[in-house]
Amino acid sequence: MPSLFRKKDIVNDLLHEETSLNRTLTAKDLIIMGVGVIVGSGIFITPGIIAANYAGPGVILTYLLAALVCIGAAFCYSEFSSTIPLAGSAYTYSYSVYGEIVAWIVGWSLISEYLFAASSTAVSWSAYFRNLLAGFGIHLPKVLQSAAGTVGNPEGRFDIVAFVIVLIATTLLLQGMTESMKVNTIMVYIKIFVILLFVAVTVFYVKPKNYNPFLPFGVGGIGRGAAVAFYAFLGFDTVSSASEEVKNPKRNMPIGIIASLLIVAILYSLVSLVLVGAVNYKQLNVADPVSHALNILNLNWVSGIVSLGAIMGMTTVLLVVIYGGTRLIFSLSRDGLLPRQFETLSKQGVPLRSTFLVGLVAATVAAVIPIEKITELVNIGTLLAFAVTSIGVISLRHSKNTKDLKPAFRVPLYPIFPIVSFAACVYLMTQLQAFTWKMYAGWTAIGLIIYFSYGFRHSNEK
């Protein structure tokens, strides 16, 4: 009888095999990938939601707290990725140190992370796109958009723009990683320029009175807001999913993960500080808070530029998170936990069926589910993966299964950093709403049904 806790034999079964994915990515590519996905997810979606519902002007503290938690997790991810340079991110790491059932739960949680991250980004992309069209006097029929000016889709409309943009991003990924990275790089540079433009212009409209009261929801709002802000730092987790397509991964993976996190932490702090300083936090509960704030300030010319930059920038988010989801499903399929059909590669080295599946599901969710619900579903899967990876560093260093592997990067202040990072992730998970936990419980139940009906019997590690 095979065990639920059988572990992946990393040394003998994987590291000695030639990967079927092409190693084309450099450290620079990883930094651009990380900045592209992290910046778009955080700056253009979450600041308004967090300020209006959790932290008020203290939104900057939520990002700083989330960043501190992520730094600890980033160090842990860096040690894992430099030791086990394979696709699958936290799923593969968990399989090597905890065993199959834990790995499946983590992998299934990460699937929700990537799917819902793509969906929530598409909803915000749609909002900014409609704002740009409105500047030219063009308005889509209401039945084909989520409710304008509010968060969510309360009238049950079908957001056609969000649906289509996910399919376009999916189509681009099907062309291959080299081609996708070229487009991604251009858009990241444009996005950073737009963000700096927003800060440079808006800082002149900051009014001290907008910072009072600084914490209208109390100190507890910082923790609750940080749990949502954690979604904004999704990128470095996605970067780790590229391990199997990176040149010299032992060196480049830690550089890409840590550098991208530090860059975006600075950008988030600047944007959130001027955003709530220029516009009262109560007015920011919208899907496009940056553009909305500029409209309130009658800076329509800047709003148009920001909307265009946000549209291009969030396209990079879609590319990276859909990419991460496809590589995860590829890894699950290669290990026998999902049908082998999802392991099939195209001539460009792209997992075809995995890409089609992630793109179609993400597009459908984006079209029909409210953004605030999608965002929190992303967070819980991310936090679980971060918690498991953080504490897993201790097992990594002592497990017989990985004792022969030599990491190129080691977590500083071991074992303090892994333990503190794990505790911080668990704390943020406790701050999520009851709705999120109920939805996650349902998602996990579906995953366990799939595992025991298929994965447990077909796993390679028997």
Side-chain angles (χ1 to χ4, degrees):
M1 179 68 180
S3 170
L4 289 172
F5 296 96
R6 54 198 172 196
K7 297 179 180 179
K8 179 183 291 295
D9 191 340
I10 295 293
V11 176
N12 295 320
D13 294 343
L14 290 178
L15 291 185
H16 293 165
E17 295 180 3
E18 189 68 27
T19 176
S20 54
L21 298 174
N22 300 322
R23 293 194 182 275
T24 60
L25 302 179
T26 64
K28 180 182 176 181
D29 291 330
L30 292 176
I31 293 173
I32 290 174
M33 180 187 293
V35 171
V37 66
I38 304 173
V39 169
S41 299
I43 287 183
F44 297 120
I45 300 177
T46 57
I49 295 174
I50 295 172
N53 298 293
Y54 300 101
V59 60
I60 185 174
L61 298 180
T62 70
Y63 281 109
L64 291 176
L65 176 58
L68 288 174
V69 174
C70 284
I71 288 174
F75 283 144
C76 298
Y77 265 90
S78 295
E79 178 163 338
F80 262 112
S81 63
S82 70
T83 307
I84 306 174
L86 297 173
S89 185
Y91 155 73
T92 299
Y93 309 152
S94 298
Y95 212 157
S96 66
V97 298
Y98 296 119
E100 187 172 283
I101 184 62
V102 176
W104 170 261
I105 293 174
V106 171
W108 187 248
S109 298
L110 285 173
I111 289 176
S112 71
E113 171 190 335
Y114 294 130
L115 283 176
F116 297 135
S119 300
S120 61
T121 301
V123 175
S124 191
W125 195 103
S126 174
Y128 277 94
F129 181 72
R130 294 197 308 272
N131 182 75
L132 183 63
L133 290 182
F136 295 97
I138 302 174
H139 301 277
L140 294 178
K142 289 186 176 181
V143 71
L144 296 179
Q145 57 177 290
S146 57
T150 62
V151 176
N153 191 10
E155 299 180 26
R157 301 168 182 165
F158 188 89
D159 193 333
I160 187 65
V161 175
F163 184 84
V164 170
I165 188 55
V166 174
L167 296 185
I168 291 175
T170 303
T171 301
L172 181 58
L173 284 171
L174 289 172
Q175 308 310 308
M177 200 58 206
T178 301
E179 290 72 17
S180 301
M181 280 306 303
K182 291 178 181 177
V183 176
N184 188 62
T185 299
I186 295 172
M187 291 186 175
V188 167
Y189 285 136
I190 293 175
K191 177 165 53 178
I192 292 176
F193 167 77
V194 167
I195 290 169
L196 295 178
L197 174 65
F198 169 78
V199 173
V201 172
T202 311
V203 70
F204 293 102
Y205 292 84
V206 170
K207 299 177 181 179
K209 67 177 183 179
N210 285 332
Y211 293 115
N212 186 31
F214 191 66
L215 295 173
F217 300 96
V219 177
I222 298 176
R224 292 189 294 272
V228 178
F230 209 81
Y231 159 84
F233 293 93
L234 174 67
F236 76 82
D237 167 57
T238 310
V239 169
S240 70
S241 67
S243 293
E244 206 165 325
E245 295 171 83
V246 177
K247 299 176 182 177
N248 191 9
K250 288 182 175 293
R251 170 187 176 274
N252 292 334
M253 289 305 302
I255 293 174
I257 291 172
I258 296 174
S260 59
L261 179 61
L262 292 176
I263 291 171
V264 299
I266 295 172
L267 292 175
Y268 283 177
S269 298
L270 290 173
V271 170
S272 60
L273 187 63
V274 298
L275 179 65
V276 295
V279 176
N280 187 278
Y281 71 92
K282 296 179 181 178
Q283 298 177 278
L284 297 174
N285 194 29
V286 294
D288 53 345
V290 173
S291 179
H292 182 66
L294 291 170
N295 288 333
I296 292 175
L297 298 173
N298 293 317
L299 295 172
N300 295 326
W301 67 275
V302 183
S303 177
I305 296 175
V306 168
S307 293
L308 180 60
I311 288 169
M312 299 186 70
M314 283 186 288
T315 303
T316 70
V317 179
L318 287 172
L319 288 171
V320 178
V321 295
I322 294 174
Y323 163 84
T326 62
R327 270 47 179 185
L328 174 59
I329 292 177
F330 168 82
S331 297
L332 289 165
S333 176
R334 183 170 61 183
D335 291 337
L337 299 180
L338 287 177
R340 286 288 187 181
Q341 290 88 335
F342 293 113
E343 187 187 359
T344 303
L345 299 177
S346 68
K347 294 181 180 179
Q348 292 78 23
V350 177
L352 284 174
R353 290 183 175 86
S354 299
T355 303
F356 280 125
L357 177 65
V358 173
L360 183 59
V361 174
T364 303
V365 171
V368 300
I369 297 181
I371 187 173
E372 68 274 15
K373 303 301 184 185
I374 303 174
T375 301
E376 289 214 8
L377 288 172
V378 174
N379 296 336
I380 195 166
T382 307
L383 285 166
L384 176 67
F386 286 5
V388 169
T389 301
S390 294
I391 203 67
V393 169
I394 297 176
S395 298
L396 176 67
R397 294 196 183 185
H398 295 91
S399 173
K400 294 181 180 180
N401 192 42
T402 56
K403 63 182 178 61
D404 294 329
L405 303 177
K406 304 299 181 184
F409 177 89
R410 285 186 176 272
V411 176
L413 299 178
Y414 174 90
I416 297 175
F417 246 124
I419 294 174
V420 171
S421 177
F422 170 79
C425 291
V426 172
Y427 166 72
L428 290 184
M429 290 178 73
T430 65
Q431 300 301 301
L432 294 171
Q433 298 180 24
F435 165 83
T436 305
W437 281 99
K438 291 177 181 178
M439 290 296 292
Y440 179 69
W443 176 263
T444 303
I446 294 173
L448 290 175
I449 291 172
I450 294 174
Y451 173 72
F452 284 109
S453 62
Y454 184 89
F456 182 72
R457 294 182 291 108
H458 293 84
S459 168
N460 297 340
E461 305 301 323
K462 293 182 179 179

